[in-house]
Amino acid sequence: MPPIIEISGLRKTYRRSFRQPHHALDGLDLEVAAGQVHGFLGPNGSGKTTTLRALLGLIRVDGGTMRVFGEEVPHRLPQVVSRIGAVVESPQFFKHFSGRLTLQLLAESAGLPKERVEAVLEQVGLREAAKASVKGYSLGMRQRLAVAQALLKQPQLLILDEPANGLDPAGIHHMRELLQWLAHEQGVTVVVSSHLLSEVQQLCDSMTIVSRGRRIVDGSVADIIAGHSGASLSVRVPDAGALPEAAEALKTAKAGVGAVVERDRLVVTGAPEPAWVTQTLAESGIYLSELVTQTKNLESVFLELTGTAPQPGQTVQIGQSVAVPQAAAQSAPAGAPIEAPVNAAPESGPEAEEAQR
Ligand SMILES: Nc1ncnc2c1ncn2[C@@H]1O[C@H](COP(=O)(O)OP(=O)(O)OP(=O)(O)O)[C@@H](O)[C@H]1O
């Protein structure tokens, strides 16, 4: 089955008065397979919203191709728009209307049956609050209402920019269950951009990580994390004074093994397996008191891949990445571009205006 979303080489440059043009999308590629929850991740200013807005025909791009359901967009958007539900802008509502009335009016104008309103109110958990006017809604309730609007027409593709925005932990849990149910039970393809990495790890089947307007890596969430785990080992010995000797023993025993003393422990990378460490140290007369495999989570993989991990004495600016470690570049899937801009200048600003062409 062809991908539901196919984006190739997407470019968008914002031209700003008295400033350098800003390449928000610099040849971005994105593919989303059917019936999955796909996470779209990247540091602030990396081009996620710009991509989603371009896909929905809200802004024009300077180059590249986009297809949704096999149709080229924005040119063929009218042919597919009825199959797409999206929340990418801050949702605006008539604040004196109730949640139910808001949805009823929308359903009526789209020729949808009244029952859909009650169904989506139930799905997003707003049934109890449906009578209240929107002006009394919290940020999380407005977010639920926006998702309800997007679900009204029973879309086959649901695109949500930061769906967890404003939701409390119970709301996040509920939204996760809803999105997974839509994808896995109803066959809806769900794309979510998010900053909540632990949430993406729990919610998504696959993901694309972008940085500075380009794709860095994509694939299943499990594969991406596993592919970058590079299992480091934390080793402790009864006498911390023996750690330098232990580090030396490991490094000389095998090329490519790294061993760094960190206070009262040794961090070992590149070892073939934990048993090799135990055996090599024992052969040098050093016996372990602790050996722990340190697995990575999505957050550490994200920080590594986007080059946004905190560096001592340095603050990473919006839109700025630092050098991506060589190890990260090597472990990315073939074909995935790794960009490693060193000391790149900050390149974004909230005051920037879009060039209308
Ligand atoms: N209308 C605009 N005019 C000029 N520059 C813009 C405009 N919209 C976005 N940009 C710039 O384009 C870059 C990408 O912005 P975008 O909103 O797509 O990033 P994002 O990945 O969604 O960020 P965030 O995670 O903070 O929402 C940023 O540097 C931003 O400042």
Side-chain angles (χ1 to χ4, degrees), residues 84-309:
I84 307 172
V87 184
V88 293
E89 308 281 317
S90 305
Q92 302 293 328
F93 304 106
F94 289 109
K95 52 186 192 218
H96 296 293
F97 290 0
S98 68
R100 180 176 280 116
L101 182 59
T102 304
L103 294 171
Q104 280 170 343
L105 292 174
L106 194 63
E108 224 170 274
S109 66
L112 298 167
K114 278 198 295 230
E115 301 76 62
R116 285 298 304 147
V117 172
E118 297 312 312
V120 295
L121 280 170
E122 180 69 36
Q123 281 181 336
V124 302
L126 272 185
R127 184 170 38 81
E128 301 285 318
K131 269 198 280 185
S133 69
V134 172
K135 71 170 186 285
Y137 278 18
S138 66
L139 178 60
M141 290 162 83
R142 285 169 199 236
Q143 186 69 1
R144 288 169 192 244
L145 185 58
V147 174
Q149 282 190 338
L151 288 176
L152 262 182
K153 58 182 168 183
Q154 294 183 285
Q156 292 161 12
L157 170 61
L158 183 64
I159 298 175
L160 304 174
D161 200 4
E162 296 287 341
N165 204 9
L167 297 181
D168 58 16
I172 291 177
H173 180 85
H174 178 96
M175 185 64 74
R176 185 192 315 143
E177 298 220 313
L178 173 62
L179 298 182
Q180 288 180 333
W181 174 79
L182 286 167
H184 303 153
E185 307 289 325
Q186 306 293 303
V188 177
T189 304
V190 180
V191 178
V192 295
S193 82
S194 181
H195 290 107
L196 299 177
L197 299 178
S198 57
E199 178 51 24
V200 169
Q201 199 170 344
Q202 291 182 70
L203 168 68
C204 299
D205 306 302
S206 57
M207 66 179 172
T208 298
I209 298 181
V210 293
S211 177
R212 296 168 63 92
R214 293 167 66 190
R215 177 170 69 187
I216 291 184
V217 71
D218 70 343
S220 88
V221 175
D223 285 353
I224 290 175
I225 294 173
H228 291 83
S229 288
S232 68
L233 302 167
S234 167
V235 171
R236 284 195 165 85
V237 295
D239 172 15
L243 286 174
E245 191 193 332
E248 216 36 54
L250 292 172
K251 285 192 286 189
T252 47
K254 197 169 188 63
V257 171
V260 178
V261 178
E262 269 186 13
R263 288 196 296 273
D264 61 342
R265 67 180 189 140
L266 198 59
V267 177
V268 181
T269 51
E273 54 188 331
W276 177 84
V277 174
T278 317
Q279 189 188 338
T280 308
L281 291 182
E283 282 165 6
S284 304
I286 301 169
Y287 297 95
L288 308 189
S289 55
E290 184 186 278
L291 190 150
V292 179
T293 302
Q294 305 187 116
T295 51
K296 289 191 178 175
N297 59 15
L298 182 54
E299 182 177 275
S300 49
V301 171
F302 177 89
L303 292 173
E304 179 188 319
L305 286 177
T306 58
T308 49

Side-chain angles (χ1 to χ4, degrees), residues 12-16 19 22-25 40-53 59 161-162 193-195 210 212-213 318-319 346-356:
K12 172 70 181 173
T13 300
Y14 288 109
R15 290 166 218 289
R16 307 172 293 187
R19 295 181 65 185
H22 173 53
H23 305 296
L25 299 179
F40 192 33
L41 306 186
N44 288 133
S46 56
K48 302 179 297 295
T49 304
T50 303
T51 305
L52 299 182
R53 295 181 76 209
I59 53 167
D161 200 4
E162 296 287 341
S193 82
S194 181
H195 290 107
V210 293
R212 296 168 63 92
I318 302 285
E347 56 181 11
S348 62
E351 77 283 3
E353 76 272 1
E354 171 175 10
Q356 294 300 331

